[in-house]
């Protein structure tokens, strides 16, 4: 024990670096006989799933304490010579929670059962920690939901925006201030915390009086402990399907049991065990509404998409939106929303190795995947395909070693000298987490120039001249620039629903398209344009997902937590309740790296138009080119009298190059197209 003390004191001196996050609890109490007298040296064990998780001997006053215990449901087993074995069942140990269990032993009868089993009486309010509220796996299984956030939201003082949302507001604080703690892994804001229902052993809400070691949480903590291994193999397969029209489906599999056991005193004790939980969900409408929705009949929607613009039925004006010509007879009433489905996969696996009661090693892996369509009410009538598509996953894993220091319970002797230090242990946990989310148009994916692409527009230009005075005082036909007199269109075949708008305008012989602005005025679409809304309320037919982005985050954590009890006056045999000083300390290292990228891909076309050619927007009026008799002359040649300028001669100009106004995009594009960044040709982005 002296070596243990020196080791722990050294760690205390180093513990100023930071606090770790311990999730273990303890069970303590007193063992007395039928007359209320303490029983010295009684054996007390804490069992979970039939496995011994810890034990201790009572002192001369019958006091005992068992720690550390991972949150879960325990049975306390007490044995003492001449007395019936007592088992107190269903003791819930929460995150960092102390549970008092006092036991009164009974004399062993001459005949009859030698074991007395009792149910632990749960207090309505824990006076030692009233800010904690917990739920057991039995309670969770009876709830009408499978979302982890919903479980915590059922506790008082918690606000949830809507069912299924894990971003909870606890005690009036922001959702980002809520911390989820799953088997010691810290997850902020509730990102991908949905676990298979069968994998949760206990769920606990800590909302008041939080310990300083939870400094990263100011609102509250949702502590989740997953199931541990069990003494016997068991499994459960569940499948469900809704029949009310929303098409909600769930398939889950739960397996647990020993992989390797050893026999001791006639009993098998698992040394290596596993837990496996997996669930797959598919919901056509994960957020159903009581009233039915209006949905355009498929044949009507197809007709509108193919011909989104129709000639004005009054014979005047340009075009009208086909979406504004529908009637109530063109709609169906449906329960489940279109293009609002979601698919989820949740997995949890744990492997435990417990060679002795003093040492426990746990390896845990978690994986959550989700694919969903973001339903938009404004898209629902004419553009359901414009609902966003999101893919995300979270992969988490941890390795945890817990060791109790000191002698095992079966090694202690009744008359042995007791130490002032007891219940010393440490927990070392390494955690890795990776979160990834990705959103894009499912057709175009990362091909960003396909977003909003309608086709090739070719501008046909003609030079324009006016009679004016040029530099040097000469009057001539002055060139003022090239003007677009017509635009031809070649469909791209990439976004056919968008192309139909422009095709409709070009197919109408009443109109001659002279420029892209005129095309827009008639209702046609350029590259990057989106359809006009119907009645300024509903997204226009053919609208598409126009954005692309992804984000990822990696987090690595290493935590060392340790604890020991120092009993004051432990040699005082007259004091029944000793003064115990509990010392907790820890070291923590946490590194998080976040990266993200997002792009409004359809808006690139307008951006490219804005930053192209802006450095050659003006003519170089200081260097006129006089065209006389088919030959070009400079201003110096004209002023020297080599030729005579008349008002019927023309004067041309090159475009003026201003390097500071040239965008990088323009420079790189010119280098690609013409081999030089100083080339003065106009670039037509839409061509």
């Amino acid at each position: 024990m002296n070596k243990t003390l020196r080791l722990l004191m050294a760690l205390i001196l180093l513990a100023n670096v930071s606090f770790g996050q311990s999730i273990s609890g303890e069970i303590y109490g007193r063992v007395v006989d039928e007359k209320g007298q303490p029983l010295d040296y009684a054996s007390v064990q804490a069992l979970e799933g039939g496995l011994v998780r810890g034990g201790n001997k009572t002192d001369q006053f019958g006091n005992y304490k068992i720690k550390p215990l991972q949150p879960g449901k325990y049975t306390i087993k007490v044995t003492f010579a001449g007395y019936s074995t007592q088992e107190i069942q269903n003791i819930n140990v929460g995150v960092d929670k102390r549970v008092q269990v006092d036991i009164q032993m009974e004399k062993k009868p001459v005949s009859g059962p030698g074991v007395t089993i009792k149910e632990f009486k749960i207090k309505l309010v824990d006076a030692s920690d009233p800010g904690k509220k917990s739920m057991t796996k039995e309670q969770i299984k009876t709830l009408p939901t499978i979302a982890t956030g919903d479980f915590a939201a059922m506790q008082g003082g918690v606000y949830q925006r809507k069912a299924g949302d894990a971003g909870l507001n606890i005690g009036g604080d922001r959702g980002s201030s809520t911390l989820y703690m799953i088997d010691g892994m810290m997850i902020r804001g509730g990102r991908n915390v949905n676990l298979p229902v069968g994998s949760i052993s206990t769920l606990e809400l800590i909302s008041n009086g939080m310990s300083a070691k939870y400094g990263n949480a100011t609102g509250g903590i949702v502590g989740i402990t997953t199931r541990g291994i069990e003494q016997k193999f068991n499994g459960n397969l569940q499948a469900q399907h809704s029949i009310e029209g929303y098409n909600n489906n769930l398939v889950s599999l739960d397996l647990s049991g020993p992989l390797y056991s050893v026999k001791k005193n006639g009993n098998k004790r698992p040394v290596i065990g596993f837990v496996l939980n997996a669930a797959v969900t598919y919901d056509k409408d994960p957020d159903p509404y009581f009233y039915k929705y209006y949905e355009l009949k498929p044949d009507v929607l197809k007709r509108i998409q193919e011909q989104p613009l129709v000639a004005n039925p009054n014979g005047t004006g340009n075009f009208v939106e086909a979406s504004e010509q529908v009637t109530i007879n063109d709609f169906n009433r449906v329960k489940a929303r279109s293009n609002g489905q979601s698919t989820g996969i949740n997995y949890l696996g744990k492997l435990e190795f417990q060679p002795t009661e003093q040492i426990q090693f746990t390896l845990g892996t978690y994986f959550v995947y989700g694919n969903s369509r973001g339903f938009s009410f404004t898209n629902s009538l004419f553009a359901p395909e414009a609902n966003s598509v999101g893919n995300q996953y979270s992969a988490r894993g941890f390795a945890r070693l817990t060791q109790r220091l000191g002698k095992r319970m079966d090694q202690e002797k009744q008359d042995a000298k007791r130490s002032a230090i007891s219940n010393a242990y440490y927990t070392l946990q390494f955690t890795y987490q990776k979160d990834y989310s990705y959103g894009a148009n499912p057709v175009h994916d990362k091909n960003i120039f396909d977003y909003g692409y309608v086709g090739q527009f070719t501008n046909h230009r003609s030079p324009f001249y006016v009679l004016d005075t040029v530099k040097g005082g000469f009057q001539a036909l002055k060139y003022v620039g090239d003007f677009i007199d017509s635009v031809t269109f070649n469909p791209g075949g990439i976004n056919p629903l968008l192309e139909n708008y422009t095709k409709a305008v070009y197919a109408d012989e009443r109109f001659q398209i002279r420029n892209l602005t005129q095309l827009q005025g008639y209702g046609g679409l350029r590259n990057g344009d989106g359809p006009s809304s119907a009645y300024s309320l509903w997204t226009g037919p053919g609208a598409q997902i126009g954005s692309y982005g992804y984000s990822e985050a990696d987090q690595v954590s290493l935590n060392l937590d340790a604890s020991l009890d120092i009993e004051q006056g432990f040699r005082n045999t007259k004091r029944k309740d000793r003064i115990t000083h509990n010392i907790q300390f820890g070291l923590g290292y946490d590194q998080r790296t976040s990266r993200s990228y997002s792009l409004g891909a359809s808006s690139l076309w307008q951006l490219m138009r804005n930053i192209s050619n802006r450095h050659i927007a003006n003519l170089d009026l200081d260097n006129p080119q006089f065209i006389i008799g088919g030959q070009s002359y400079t201003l110096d040649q004209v002023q020297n009298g080599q030729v005579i300028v008349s008002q019927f001669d023309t004067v041309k100009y090159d475009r003026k190059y201003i390097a500071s106004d040239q965008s990088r995009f323009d420079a790189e594009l010119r280098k690609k197209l013409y081999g030089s960044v100083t080339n003065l040709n106009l670039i037509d982005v839409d061509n």
Side-chain angles (χ1 to χ4, degrees), residues 146-251:
I146 60 173
T148 303
D150 293 348
F151 304 150
M154 293 179 182
Q155 307 295 340
V158 180
Y159 169 75
Q160 183 185 38
R161 186 176 61 89
K162 68 174 184 177
D165 188 1
L168 306 177
N169 300 85
I170 301 177
D173 213 325
R174 298 178 179 179
S176 59
S177 299
T178 298
L179 199 65
Y180 282 79
M181 187 165 59
I182 302 177
D183 287 337
M185 296 187 298
M186 298 299 180
I187 304 165
R188 183 169 298 281
R191 180 178 175 84
N192 290 341
V193 296
N194 279 333
L195 297 173
V197 175
S199 69
I200 300 176
S201 176
T202 60
L203 183 144
E204 190 165 11
L205 177 67
I206 308 173
S207 56
N208 296 312
M210 291 179 292
S211 171
K213 60 188 173 184
Y214 305 123
N216 289 331
T218 57
I221 296 173
V222 179
I224 299 173
T225 304
T226 59
R227 291 171 48 198
I229 64 173
E230 298 184 12
Q231 193 171 19
K232 296 181 180 180
F233 181 85
N234 66 79
N236 177 54
L237 177 63
Q238 177 185 357
Q240 67 182 45
H241 168 69
S242 65
I243 59 174
E244 78 291 76
Y246 298 110
N247 195 14
N248 303 123
N249 304 272
L250 166 68
V251 177

Side-chain angles (χ1 to χ4, degrees), residues 195-382:
L195 297 173
V197 175
S199 69
I200 300 176
S201 176
T202 60
L203 183 144
E204 190 165 11
L205 177 67
I206 308 173
S207 56
N208 296 312
M210 291 179 292
S211 171
K213 60 188 173 184
Y214 305 123
N216 289 331
T218 57
I221 296 173
V222 179
I224 299 173
T225 304
T226 59
R227 291 171 48 198
I229 64 173
E230 298 184 12
Q231 193 171 19
K232 296 181 180 180
F233 181 85
N234 66 79
N236 177 54
L237 177 63
Q238 177 185 357
Q240 67 182 45
H241 168 69
S242 65
I243 59 174
E244 78 291 76
Y246 298 110
N247 195 14
N248 303 123
N249 304 272
L250 166 68
V251 177
S252 64
L253 174 67
D254 302 326
L255 296 173
S256 63
L259 293 176
Y260 174 70
S261 302
V262 295
K263 211 167 192 179
K264 185 177 181 181
N265 299 327
N267 297 318
K268 274 191 173 184
R269 181 181 69 84
V271 175
I272 302 176
F274 78 100
V275 176
L276 176 64
N277 303 98
V280 179
T281 60
Y282 172 79
D283 299 319
K284 178 176 174 57
D285 188 350
D287 191 17
Y289 191 55
F290 177 76
Y291 298 100
K292 292 183 178 181
Y293 290 88
Y294 282 99
E295 183 179 272
L296 208 58
K297 293 179 179 178
D299 59 324
V300 177
L301 178 60
K302 182 179 180 182
R303 171 171 51 83
I304 292 176
Q305 290 175 337
E306 291 177 350
Q307 192 175 1
L309 299 178
V310 296
N312 193 320
N314 296 327
T316 59
N318 302 328
F319 295 93
V320 295
E321 302 284 343
S323 57
E324 297 182 357
Q325 306 301 308
V326 297
T327 65
I328 192 65
N329 295 326
D330 294 322
F331 292 91
N332 291 323
R333 298 294 299 275
V334 296
K335 272 191 172 184
R337 303 173 300 181
S338 295
N339 284 8
Q341 70 273 12
S342 68
T343 302
I345 300 174
N346 299 328
Y347 158 81
L348 178 146
K350 290 175 72 174
L351 188 67
E352 290 191 9
F353 174 55
Q354 189 174 354
T356 69
E357 293 181 11
Q358 303 292 94
I359 299 175
Q360 181 177 345
F361 178 77
T362 305
L363 181 66
T365 56
Y366 307 83
F367 182 78
V368 180
Y369 169 79
N371 174 277
S372 61
R373 298 294 299 259
F375 177 80
S376 170
F377 189 68
T378 57
N379 294 342
S380 60
L381 289 190
F382 303 108

Side-chain angles (χ1 to χ4, degrees), residues 462-480:
S462 298
F464 193 78
Y465 296 86
V466 296
L467 184 62
D468 198 0
T469 302
V470 301
K471 187 174 182 179
F474 302 101
Q475 192 175 49
L477 295 174
K478 179 181 177 181
Y479 171 73
V480 294

